Amino acid sequence: TIFSYPADSGALYGTLGHYAAAQHPPGAKRKIWNWDLGTYLGEIDEAPETYNVIGNLNEHGLAIGETTFGGNETLAGGEGLLDYGSLIWVTLQRAKTAREAIKLFGELVAKYGYVSEGESFTIGDPNEVWVLELIGKGKFETGAIWVAVRIPDGHVSGHANQARIQRFPLNDPENCVYADDVISFAIKVGLWSADRPKEEFSFSDTYDPITFSGARQSDARVWSF
């Protein structure tokens, strides 16, 4: 498996962070700093054991990248302790496989909340690659809604600042997993009608509807790939 994580911005300069593997005593805490802004967000419970992480890759061959899609503006500005960068590196310190990482993403945002815009994450290990798309719940609730889809063997995927996952299988956990309330939350906040079949639900059309700039600047880059 292989994926790339470029940032085509003249204002960004590459850094290579390192988190050393460690054992932590009961009751230990981990400080969380907003990756983009450098602001202190608070503390979360530390795991008993954390893995060695360099950049976006850990010692078990798990790698996580991202691309920001923003999404529905009413779902930004949520309360919590985790931004998208912290979510990546906390997960890399605690998970060994892509499936473990996806499960941990869901647990972390449910427990500690999510404060960033909508993100499309690439999560890969030596055996498989997944795309996980996630957006916060704004001022409605703490947490986030998300869906993750496995890239089939022998296939490629590209995503560039636009949510990619549209309709997804509701009963195929080997290839697709999602937050329990990914559809019910949309109904609750008026983004989806309860009268429509769940099988027609599209994550991207609901939470990040395509715009002209999204098609021109984001999807066009994917097609060029």
Side-chain angles (χ1 to χ4, degrees), residues 2-6 66-67 69 120-122 129-133 149 151-152 155-166 214 217-225:
I2 186 171
F3 75 80
S4 66
Y5 177 28
E66 57 76 32
T67 183
F69 62 76
S120 186
F121 297 93
T122 304
V129 178
W130 291 67
V131 170
L132 183 152
E133 297 193 324
V149 174
I151 305 302
H155 289 69
V156 299
S157 176
H159 46 148
N161 304 110
Q162 177 69 43
R164 306 297 301 166
I165 299 174
Q166 298 176 334
Q217 299 174 21
S218 300
D219 283 349
R221 289 155 56 207
V222 173
W223 281 108
S224 68
F225 163 76

Side-chain angles (χ1 to χ4, degrees), residues 78-143:
E79 297 182 359
L81 298 177
L82 292 172
D83 67 302
Y84 75 96
S86 300
L87 186 58
I88 289 174
W89 283 291
V90 169
T91 299
L92 285 171
Q93 289 182 283
R94 301 181 182 197
K96 294 181 178 180
T97 68
R99 291 176 188 265
E100 285 184 10
I102 292 166
K103 182 174 183 291
L104 188 56
F105 261 48
E107 293 172 349
L108 287 170
V109 296
K111 184 174 182 178
Y112 297 111
Y114 178 74
V115 301
S116 296
E117 297 178 284
E119 292 284 342
S120 186
F121 297 93
T122 304
I123 304 177
D125 63 29
N127 299 309
E128 55 186 0
V129 178
W130 291 67
V131 170
L132 183 152
E133 297 193 324
L134 176 150
I135 191 168
K137 296 182 176 181
K139 301 299 183 182
F140 297 102
E141 298 177 12
T142 300

Side-chain angles (χ1 to χ4, degrees), residues 70-79 116-117 135-141 145 185-186 189-191 206-207 209:
N72 187 299
E73 294 182 355
T74 66
L75 303 181
E79 297 182 359
S116 296
E117 297 178 284
I135 191 168
K137 296 182 176 181
K139 301 299 183 182
F140 297 102
E141 298 177 12
I145 52 272
F185 177 79
V189 300
L191 297 176
T206 302
Y207 294 117

